[in-house]
Amino acid sequence: MMSITNSFPTPAAPKEVDVLVVGAGLSGLRAALDVQAAGLSCIVVEAIDRVGGKTLSVPSKLNGPGVNDIGAAWINDTSQSEMYGLLRKYGLHGEIQRAEGMSLSLTAEGVITHPYGTLPLDEHDQFLVASVLQTIQGLVDQIDLEDPAAGSIGTELDGMSASEYCSKTFQSDLVVGIVDTVTQSLLGVEAASISMLSFVHYIKIATGVDAALSDGKNGGQYLRVREGTQSFSRKMAETLNPGTLFLSAPVTSIEQSSHTRICTVRTSSPTNSTFHAKKVILSIPTPLYHKISFDPPLPEDKARLASNNILGYYSKMIYVFDQPWWRTAGLSGVMETDLGPILFSRDTSIPDDDQWSITCFIVGKRGREWSLLSASERRRTAWDQFRTTFESASGLSGELNVPEPINVLEVEWSKQEFFGGAPCPVSPPGLLSSVDAAAARCPFKGVHFVGTETAFLWRGYMEGAVRSGFRGAKEVIDLLNG
């Protein structure tokens, strides 16, 4: 896997600061900048050797311009106002997601071509799918944003998985399969693993069904960033006060003294640094809390979330080419299938940089099975599926020969020690209705919790991460400034 390591110096550790932030992703860096702007001393400790968290932008090819995002990749310019504001603030450039050409669906009977944004279904099945989406939107409208498990509807939805709900309600294998594809595409988990309430709540926080699924205006997949989404974190890190950022410093323990109200944070960096802070802002996913020893232990509800929340399997395989051969052939670059490791793909080119690429997503159960293969077998099986699918689309403009890529970029987030999966933790049946609604974001003494899974808007996206950073910073600023 290619990676970019930021060359930030390792500063001398201060004995005590007002606020210590754990995690140098978007939420942690946003919180740190606000804390410093309020006149409080602050440091940021990061487990790995770079900033950006689940944003990671790498060169597309050995020479020349162009990057690809092998982590979080999309924003929009409407309902994701914080991310779009940062794009404009830092002088970055948005690239509208290409939404034209013919898409491919690989089935047991062969490859079906259909216009971008449509499903290869007959009139009856299209009507059924539209009815399903309308029903899900109706559920989204009914549940409470801040307390989704409240009321009988919340309890009912949390008592079954998304696949169980759809099977019971629609009695259609087609519907169950489509919803399963949606949960894997968005979250890297099967519909049988996530509670229907967790799924519906995720859609609500993404402002609704249309926005969550859309590549168009107002949608979650509307704009990419020419310079790469990791640029946001790099720009933030550059504006931190000197001597603020500590990389390659995994936190091993957080101790809170009941007498001094000081938090002692220990890391396993080469110097085994110890920090003292009045407040800690923790920006890591709940399933990774077990990597830190808390003294006193976390409250029961937080511990239950940490033990039971699920991080999905999410990988990208990006093929970079010297020419956009699929565009010449009238194709969108989109392939979707239930066969083989790749679930779907998108055109992720940046024409202004002469950067031509298609990103393939390998997620969920099939991804976990594929990940057990050797590196060479993973690449071979994915490429065979990719090439065979596109070459089977011949007839649009004659026989199509897919050229070898000039570069292949790959990342398996589930195999990264300090990530464990992507993009956002979700809850299995029965969990949300058994814990306090504010458990994920509620402070625990001097420790405050941020991260995209705590957001009220666009959870699981970069927008949610930044918004949670604002909230966490405000909490500690208000307390420390009286």
Side-chain angles (χ1 to χ4, degrees):
M1 183 189 77
M2 301 178 64
S3 65
I4 296 177
T5 301
N6 292 290
S7 56
F8 294 102
T10 302
K15 292 294 183 181
E16 184 174 331
V17 290
D18 293 317
V19 181
L20 181 140
V21 177
V22 180
L26 286 166
S27 54
L29 291 171
R30 180 68 267 171
L33 288 173
D34 284 3
V35 167
Q36 289 186 352
L40 300 171
S41 59
C42 177
I43 60 173
V44 181
V45 294
E46 168 57 51
I48 62 175
D49 61 359
R50 63 172 179 82
V51 300
K54 288 177 184 172
T55 60
L56 178 57
S57 307
V58 302
S60 300
K61 45 201 172 186
L62 296 179
N63 298 300
V67 300
N68 277 100
D69 283 310
I70 53 179
W74 284 282
I75 65 172
N76 71 40
D77 58 356
T78 50
S79 59
Q80 296 189 6
S81 57
E82 299 300 338
M83 288 308 301
Y84 188 65
L86 289 176
L87 180 128
R88 300 187 66 181
K89 175 181 178 180
Y90 293 133
L92 304 176
H93 300 86
E95 179 77 17
I96 296 175
Q97 179 62 40
R98 184 168 181 260
E100 59 185 82
M102 299 298 287
S103 298
L104 310 178
S105 290
L106 175 62
T107 70
E109 289 73 36
V111 174
I112 301 173
T113 59
H114 51 96
Y116 181 96
T118 67
L119 293 174
L121 302 174
D122 60 30
E123 185 175 352
H124 173 271
D125 287 343
Q126 288 192 31
F127 180 81
L128 175 61
V129 171
S131 175
V132 171
L133 297 179
Q134 185 176 23
T135 299
I136 293 175
Q137 184 60 51
L139 297 175
V140 167
D141 294 338
Q142 290 182 62
I143 65 169
D144 184 81
L145 181 66
E146 298 189 17
D147 189 2
S152 58
I153 183 66
T155 303
E156 178 186 354
L157 294 178
D158 197 42
M160 64 187 87
S161 70
S163 62
E164 289 172 336
Y165 175 88
C166 291
S167 178
K168 175 183 175 181
T169 304
F170 302 104
Q171 299 181 1
S172 165
D173 291 340
L174 172 67
V175 170
V176 173
I178 289 176
V179 172
D180 190 49
T181 297
V182 170
T183 60
Q184 291 185 65
S185 300
L186 293 176
L187 296 160
V189 299
E190 294 74 41
S193 300
I194 181 175
S195 87
M196 187 61 181
L197 180 62
S198 183
F199 173 57
V200 170
H201 192 223
Y202 184 86
I203 297 296
K204 187 179 186 75
I205 289 176
T207 73
V209 170
D210 290 343
L213 302 181
S214 174
D215 295 352
K217 186 76 169 177
N218 303 320
Q221 293 73 231
Y222 178 58
L223 288 177
R224 289 178 289 110
V225 180
R226 179 180 179 182
E227 297 81 0
T229 57
Q230 195 182 3
S231 299
F232 293 113
S233 294
R234 288 172 172 159
K235 296 289 186 181
M236 288 182 181
E238 289 170 1
T239 57
L240 290 171
N241 293 339
T244 291
L245 181 61
F246 292 73
L247 298 177
S248 301
V251 170
T252 57
S253 67
I254 299 175
E255 302 169 12
Q256 301 190 69
S257 169
S258 58
H259 303 295
T260 63
R261 296 185 181 180
I262 293 295
C263 299
T264 299
V265 179
R266 292 184 171 84
T267 72
S268 61
S269 59
T271 56
N272 291 316
S273 301
T274 299
F275 305 95
H276 304 289
K278 298 174 184 175
K279 298 289 181 184
V280 171
I281 296 178
L282 186 65
S283 177
I284 65 172
T286 49
L288 298 186
Y289 285 178
H290 70 274
K291 290 183 172 294
I292 299 175
S293 172
F294 292 90
D295 184 13
L298 291 174
E300 181 180 353
D301 280 359
K302 283 191 183 294
R304 292 192 66 187
L305 291 177
S307 298
N308 294 284
N309 271 347
I310 305 165
L311 273 169
Y313 181 89
Y314 224 81
S315 294
K316 284 186 178 182
M317 186 75 78
I318 303 176
Y319 298 114
V320 183
F321 301 93
D322 60 0
Q323 295 292 330
W325 49 266
W326 62 96
R327 295 189 178 193
T328 303
L331 300 176
S332 66
V334 173
M335 59 174 280
E336 298 171 342
T337 176
D338 287 332
L339 306 172
I342 299 169
L343 180 64
F344 67 99
S345 68
R346 287 295 185 273
D347 182 334
T348 50
S349 305
I350 304 288
D352 287 345
D353 289 331
D354 195 29
Q355 190 278 102
W356 309 105
S357 61
I358 293 179
T359 296
C360 301
F361 294 80
I362 303 172
V363 299
K365 180 181 179 181
R366 76 177 74 186
R368 289 189 292 273
E369 295 172 349
W370 172 82
S371 73
L372 299 176
L373 302 175
S374 66
S376 61
E377 276 297 288
R378 288 200 307 274
R379 290 207 172 195
R380 184 191 66 78
T381 54
W383 175 247
D384 285 350
Q385 179 192 359
F386 179 89
R387 183 187 60 216
T388 300
T389 302
F390 277 93
E391 289 187 347
S392 297
S394 60
L396 292 174
S397 57
E399 185 176 349
L400 183 62
N401 293 312
V402 176
E404 292 289 324
I406 61 174
N407 201 9
V408 180
L409 309 172
E410 176 190 1
V411 66
E412 288 189 87
W413 288 102
S414 297
K415 291 182 178 178
Q416 308 300 307
E417 179 183 3
F418 296 104
F419 295 101
C424 178
V426 296
S427 300
L431 182 59
L432 291 180
S433 55
S434 68
V435 298
D436 186 89
R441 62 187 176 275
C442 182
F444 172 46
K445 299 183 181 294
V447 181
H448 296 250
F449 299 82
V450 299
T452 188
E453 70 176 293
T454 69
F456 281 131
L457 189 63
W458 288 107
R459 174 178 297 173
Y461 292 77
M462 292 179 281
E463 178 77 7
V466 171
R467 287 176 178 267
S468 77
F470 280 126
R471 173 189 53 76
K474 185 178 187 304
E475 289 174 1
V476 299
I477 292 168
D478 288 348
L479 289 170
L480 293 177
N481 285 340

